[in-house]
Amino acid sequence: MKKEAVQFIVNKPFNVSILSIKKYPIHWHEDVTEILLPLKGSIEVNANFEHILVKEGDFWFVNNKSIHSIRSSSKAIVAVFHIDLNYFEKYFKYIKYMFFRNNMYSQGNTRIESDNYDDDIRKGYKTRFRNLLVSVLTDITSQDSLAEELTRDSMYQLVASMVQEFNWLQFLKKSNDFISPLQLDRYHRIVKYIDEHYHEKITLDDIAKQEFITKNYFSHLWKNLSHFSFNERLNYERTLKSEFLLLSTNMSIATIAEKCGFSDVKYYYKHFRRWYGVKPLEHKKRCQEYMDSQFDYEELDLSSMANIIKSYIKEIVIPDYSQDNIWKTSYLFDNFVKMKYLYKFDKITPQPPPRSVIVNVLNPSNFKNKEGKFYFNWQNIDLLVNFSETSDFKINIKLDCQFLDDFSYKDIIHTFLDSCIYRYRIVTIEKWNFVINYQDEKSFNVAIGIGSIIHDKIRNANIRYYFEI
C-alpha cells in the first residue's frame, strides 16, 4: 500500500481521466485533491475509516493524503479529477490543510451514502458544482481548439467553490451561518501546526501562544467552529497519521503509537477503535486481504466518452432542474447546449469591455407561479453565474414589472433574492447589476418597492431603473 503519484503538466494544475472500475487498489495522493464523479453506476469509496456509497448523479472528494480504495458491484464508469494543491496554494494559502466534504458524517464506523442530508441549500451547492464538473468533461472530450482554455476556466471556478462552499466547517454549518475568512485562516493555521507537531505533546497553551490569543478565547473560537473538541481533533489527526505507518511499514503497534504522539499504547487502541471500529492489526489484516485479491479497472479513451457524457446530462443533470416537470427537460437541454456554444463563441471573438449578459428573471421562460408556489429556471442562472465567475462579463438581473402585480411582487422578489443569497452568497451577488423596468405609474411604484427590497437584503447592490417605449 503506497502513495500514488500524479503527474501534472506545467501550467496545467489538473488531470482528468475516465476509468471503468470494479476494484481499485488502496492508495493515497500527496498534495492532491481527488474528485470522483460516477457517470454510470455507483461506487463504494473506503476513505480512512469511512465507507461511502457514491451514487450515479453525485460526487465525492478524496482529500489530501486520505488513504482510500474504490470498488463497484458492476464495472462503474467514473470521471476522476486530480487537482494540484501546490499550484493553488498561491491563491488559497492553506488549501493543503483544508478538508472538503459534501455529505454529513456517519455516526460510528458504518456505511453511509453521499447524499445523506435534507437541505435545499446544500443541494444547490452540489448541483452547481456537479455541473462545473460536467462542463469540464464536455470541453475536455470535444475536438474544439478552445477546449483547454474552457476547461481551465471551469477548473479555477471548481477550486474556488471547493474552498468557499465545501470546506467541511462551512458545509456542515447552517446555511446562513457563514464563517469569516479570518476565523477560517486561524483554524487552518492550527490544523497545519497539528500536522507538523502531532508526534509531540501539544497543549491549549501551545496553540494560544502560537496564535497570540488567550486560552479562553481559543477554546471559545474552537467550540464555535468545530464539531469536535480540540483534543478530539488532535487525536483524530494522530490516528489518521498512524494508518500510514500501519499499512506501509512493519513497525510494532507500540512504536507506531509513540511516533504518532500517543503517551500510552492503550490510548492509541482507544482512539483507533473509536474511528475505525476495530483494533489496528485487524484493520491492517482487512486491508492486506483486500490488496491480495484481484483488481479490475482500466482507463478509457476520453475521445470516446462524448455520448456517455451527453446521456449523463440528459438523464441526471437536466431532470434536477425540471422542478416537478415545471420546465421541460428537452428545453433545458437545448438551453444548456446553447449557453455552452455562446460562451465558447465569446471566447473565440471576445467583445470589447464592458461585456454583460441579461437574465430576464420574470419572463415566462425563467419564472412560473403554480398554485401560489414560485419556480425559477435555476439552470439558466447557474450556468451564467459559473461562466461569469471565470470571465470578465457582468450579470444583469432584469426585473420586468409588467409581469408583476401589487399583491404578489413582494413574495416573489423575497423568494428569488433569498434563494440567490443561499445559492451564490452575497459576495457573488454584489457583483451583479439589477435593472428594474417600469412602463407606467403603477409599475413605477412596484419598481421602487422592488428596489427597496433589494437594498434591504444586499447592502451594496447595484440597482438601475429604466422605462422603455
Side-chain angles (χ1 to χ4, degrees), residues 118-239:
D118 183 17
D119 185 300
D120 288 340
I121 307 308
R122 291 188 180 100
K123 183 179 179 182
Y125 289 156
K126 292 186 68 170
T127 300
R128 283 185 62 215
F129 191 86
R130 184 194 61 198
N131 292 350
L132 276 168
L133 293 172
V134 172
S135 188
V136 169
L137 292 176
T138 59
D139 291 328
I140 212 165
T141 55
S142 77
Q143 303 300 315
D144 196 287
S145 59
L146 282 173
E148 187 172 332
E149 185 177 352
L150 294 171
T151 303
R152 187 178 291 108
D153 284 353
S154 297
M155 291 302 298
Y156 277 81
Q157 180 58 19
L158 272 170
V159 175
S161 179
M162 282 166 50
V163 170
Q164 293 159 0
E165 283 137 15
F166 294 97
N167 185 318
W168 80 280
L169 292 176
Q170 186 62 69
F171 189 81
L172 299 187
K173 276 192 172 291
K174 293 179 181 178
S175 301
N176 60 348
D177 188 10
F178 287 103
I179 306 168
S180 75
L182 186 67
Q183 288 180 318
L184 282 173
D185 280 353
R186 172 160 278 157
Y187 178 86
H188 292 128
R189 276 198 305 274
I190 294 168
V191 171
K192 181 182 178 185
Y193 183 84
I194 293 172
D195 186 74
E196 293 170 346
H197 299 272
Y198 66 91
H199 54 285
E200 304 169 9
K201 183 179 179 181
I202 302 176
T203 66
L204 293 182
D205 288 320
D206 295 329
I207 300 298
K209 183 179 179 181
Q210 183 76 15
E211 286 294 312
F212 303 102
I213 54 178
T214 66
K215 188 164 72 172
N216 285 340
Y217 178 84
F218 168 68
S219 297
H220 180 72
L221 170 78
W222 191 270
K223 185 178 179 181
N224 284 343
L225 289 180
S226 181
H227 285 235
F228 308 109
S229 72
F230 176 73
N231 281 330
E232 282 178 313
R233 179 58 192 262
L234 176 58
N235 288 313
Y236 162 86
E237 291 289 349
R238 286 170 169 163
T239 304

